[in-house]
Amino acid sequence: MRKRNESVTVEHERAAAAAAAAVPGPLDKGCSLRRSLRLPASAAAEGMKRPLGRRYGLWFRLRKLILWLLGVYIAIPFLVKLCPAIQAKLVFLNFVRVPYFIDLKRPQDQGLNHTCNYYLQPEEDVTIGVWHTVPAALWKNARGKDQLWFEEALGSSHPVILYLHGNAGTRGGDHRVELYKVLSSLGYHVVTFDYRGWGDSIGSPSERGMTYDALHVFDWIKARSGDNPVYIWGHSLGTGVATNLVRRLCERETPPDALILESPFTNIREEARSHPFSIYRYFPGFDWFFLDPITTSGIKFANDENVKYISCSLLILHAEDDPVVPFHLGKKLYNIAATSRSFRDYKVQFVPFHTDLGYRHKYIYRSPELPRILR
């Protein structure tokens, strides 16, 4: 009996000691909690690897993108050199049809209610779309009239402007339509068209083809306008077409009454070199890679050479803040023309528009001084 009581007592003491060991004392409590919260070494290492791996993966992708862009940047000059047609497309930009979704057969949709749409055929397999806007004084009479009436109206006592637009877009471009309205309000017939390959005109674009289209439309106007003055107005790339046309007209001794150049350049090589979007202008061999293919494609638009053979009055309009054709190119062209012997009997005038006016490349039509300048 005594042995049994002693064994029970010993077991109770052992159990109490075990319980005491399991519960931390006051001093050991914080240390035990810290030990219990500590992560295993393998888990801590894995947690550190995750952000490092994420950062490394991001940098790897960024470096890969930079190398890819650099490769494309270097490859493009070689591609242009091997395929000169690419550079020709970039000069003409005839595949850019802005504004989209307009019906060029319906100029009235653009607010030109006194305009008729024609189609002329300069050559076999080539058809060009033409708009003829009559002077605002004939607006009421023009309502509901057919093409024959508009053609006969060219013989009325109003001067005619043949407008040659720049690259990209169509004859229905917003700034072009606004200019037609201004010129119409000043008493001019305005005849404009899309070169072959532009808008709804059929054919492949080329400098020769554009010039021939302009010549065909000029002769078409002269056959109907009688003794009324006919002026040629070219804008941007259209100035190259205009000087090509007028030089040819002067050589055959049928010059227009005046030539108006809006935002002109000297020649297409200098314009391409000065263009603000020419990100390769400082690229080694820029001329060989980019300018020589333009010449190889038969594109020159040599205004600086053409003006030496033009004999009619010349007016140059250029905005100082033009971001597309730099102002200094228009001024340089004027200096060449002003000293040319072909203009010694004709007036040559350069009209700049101050930067503060904000006319840039295509908003000179907004100038309230335009009627006085044209007069």
Side-chain angles (χ1 to χ4, degrees), residues 35 46 78 107 110 129 142 144 187 192 206 225 291 299 306 315 350 355:
R35 278 198 300 271
E46 186 179 346
F78 292 94
Q110 310 307 308
T192 186
S206 67
S225 61
L291 302 186
I299 303 172
N306 288 336
L315 170 64
F350 181 85
T355 301

Side-chain angles (χ1 to χ4, degrees), residues 119-366:
Y119 289 97
L120 303 179
Q121 192 169 14
E123 294 179 308
E124 190 178 356
D125 299 327
V126 174
T127 303
I128 57 175
V130 182
W131 279 0
H132 172 200
T133 302
V134 297
L138 302 178
W139 181 78
K140 289 184 179 178
N141 295 334
R143 290 173 121 181
K145 297 299 193 298
D146 59 8
Q147 179 175 334
L148 182 60
W149 182 91
F150 275 84
E151 289 187 31
E152 291 176 348
L154 285 169
S156 62
S157 57
H158 294 274
V160 184
I161 289 180
L162 171 57
Y163 179 76
L164 305 172
H165 67 68
N167 66 354
T170 68
R171 60 190 184 275
D174 293 340
H175 65 283
R176 295 162 187 165
V177 169
E178 293 304 316
L179 178 62
Y180 310 155
K181 292 176 181 178
V182 170
L183 296 177
S184 173
S185 69
L186 296 177
Y188 296 96
H189 289 274
V190 182
V191 178
T192 186
F193 66 96
D194 281 321
Y195 316 105
R196 61 187 70 187
W198 272 260
D200 57 353
S201 297
I202 298 169
S204 299
S206 67
E207 182 176 353
R208 186 207 69 83
M210 295 163 72
T211 303
Y212 192 82
D213 293 343
L215 178 62
H216 181 81
V217 177
F218 178 85
D219 288 340
W220 180 87
I221 292 170
K222 288 297 290 183
R224 291 157 178 78
S225 61
D227 295 328
N228 294 329
V230 178
Y231 308 117
I232 310 295
W233 184 313
H235 173 242
S236 192
L237 189 68
T239 63
V241 182
T243 61
N244 281 349
L245 169 63
V246 176
R247 175 178 176 175
R248 189 162 177 175
L249 293 175
C250 291
E251 287 173 349
R252 76 177 195 185
E253 299 183 352
T254 57
D257 293 274
L259 171 62
I260 302 163
L261 301 178
E262 179 188 358
S263 305
F265 49 85
T266 46
N267 58 70
I268 199 63
R269 289 179 71 98
E270 287 197 0
E271 160 57 11
R273 190 181 292 114
S274 305
H275 200 284
F277 301 123
S278 181
I279 60 174
Y280 288 94
R281 72 180 73 180
Y282 303 113
F283 193 88
F286 174 78
D287 285 20
W288 187 78
F289 277 112
F290 292 95
L291 302 186
D292 290 351
I294 297 177
T295 307
T296 302
S297 299
I299 303 172
K300 297 180 180 178
F301 292 114
N303 290 336
D304 51 353
E305 188 65 26
N306 288 336
V307 293
K308 298 175 184 176
Y309 300 91
I310 289 174
S311 50
C312 68
S313 296
L314 173 64
L315 170 64
I316 296 178
L317 311 172
H318 213 134
E320 292 178 355
D321 59 339
D322 190 328
V324 178
V325 180
F327 178 79
H328 71 86
L329 291 184
K331 188 68 175 176
K332 183 178 179 180
L333 181 64
Y334 165 74
N335 292 332
I336 295 171
T339 57
S340 174
R341 270 199 253 171
S342 64
F343 284 105
R344 61 189 170 192
D345 297 324
Y346 299 94
K347 186 176 182 180
V348 179
Q349 187 177 2
F350 181 85
V351 180
F353 295 88
H354 197 271
T355 301
D356 293 344
L357 296 171
Y359 294 155
R360 297 172 68 80
H361 183 60
K362 54 187 182 183
Y363 301 113
I364 287 176
Y365 72 83
R366 295 176 178 173

Side-chain angles (χ1 to χ4, degrees), residues 47-58:
M48 289 178 66
K49 282 180 182 177
R50 281 176 188 168
L52 286 174
R54 204 174 293 123
R55 284 197 295 270
Y56 179 78
L58 181 63

